Every structure is written in C-alpha cells, then in structure tokens.
Amino acid sequence: KNQARMLRYEQDLTVADVSLPLNIDFDGWMTWEAGCYLSVEQSCRRKLESLLDKIMGLPQGSRKCDHMSLYRSRKYPWHEFRAAVKRIKHDTNTQRWGSVEGVSIRLKIMQDAYEDCIVLAGK
C-alpha cells in the first residue's frame, strides 16, 4: 500500500496530451475462457497506454490496456462459471459493443474498499 501511495500522475500540457474525459471504445470479446473481458479498440489502447506512461513510480513491465474485465471467476465452481461465460458471449455476439467515458485515473489495491482508492487524475 505504501508503494501505491507514492505513485503520481505527470501532467502534460502539450497539444498532443490525451486529456480526460476519454472515450474508450470496445470491439468484441477477448477469447480468454477465464471470464468476460471486453476488447478495447486498437486506437483507444494507444490512448490508454499514453496515460499509463504518465504515471510515475509504476514498476517496469507489461503495460497493456487491451481489455475491461466484466466477470471473473472468484470462488465460483469453475464448470458452472465457464458455462455461464459461454452463454453470455454467445447471446451477445451480435450486439454493438459501445463505449465508456473515462473520467478519472484511480488506483485501488485488490480487495480493498473503493473508498480507499487513490485518485491520480480527474474527479
């Protein structure tokens, strides 16, 4: 938690800066079986990754912004969960995927309360 609290967002005031709010478009399901993950459209991935590059103090490593998790198996019987995921994906396969508006950059430690998140940018 102490390491997370040291992270900072480097504000960039250049013309090329990606500012908030940011529209994030989706283009389908990821192929992973472990849950329902919406695939972020390619140009939006680049915008999200440029925001991620401005967070100072993150450990080095993979910084992919390629999906949004909707449902993940958490202590749920695997065979039942997997069947439910297949039904969800099948029943929504012909839908338009839409988008969400990103209005802030927040950091929360897994299983901590949402009220304890750190707001790095936005409201």
Side-chain angles (χ1 to χ4, degrees):
K1 288 185 180 186
N2 289 338
Q3 182 182 16
R5 296 194 192 292
M6 295 178 70
L7 297 176
R8 297 288 174 258
Y9 182 72
E10 181 181 275
Q11 197 72 328
D12 181 6
L13 302 177
T14 67
V15 176
D17 188 27
V18 177
S19 59
L20 296 171
L22 172 66
N23 198 54
I24 303 167
D25 298 314
F26 301 102
D27 58 8
W29 292 113
M30 299 298 277
T31 58
W32 310 328
E33 293 182 3
C36 290
Y37 307 94
L38 282 176
S39 171
V40 174
E41 192 272 330
Q42 198 66 37
S43 65
C44 294
R45 291 180 190 190
R46 288 189 291 276
K47 292 176 186 176
L48 289 169
E49 288 164 359
S50 73
L51 285 176
L52 193 56
D53 287 340
K54 295 176 185 179
I55 300 175
M56 309 310 295
L58 283 177
Q60 294 301 314
S62 177
R63 296 191 175 186
K64 292 178 7 181
C65 296
D66 60 356
H67 72 281
M68 181 174 76
S69 302
L70 296 181
Y71 301 105
R72 295 187 298 185
S73 175
R74 301 265 181 176
K75 301 178 184 177
Y76 198 81
W78 177 245
H79 66 282
E80 292 177 35
F81 179 77
R82 191 168 173 204
V85 165
K86 283 184 179 181
R87 275 194 314 276
I88 291 168
K89 289 180 179 180
H90 177 268
D91 292 349
T92 58
N93 209 25
T94 60
Q95 302 299 311
R96 291 183 57 213
W97 295 106
S99 62
V100 296
E101 185 178 55
V103 296
S104 66
I105 300 172
R106 296 168 184 251
L107 192 65
K108 183 185 93 53
I109 296 174
M110 279 181 63
Q111 300 180 349
D112 271 8
Y114 283 97
E115 298 82 39
D116 294 336
C117 75
I118 301 166
V119 180
L120 296 176
K123 297 180 181 182

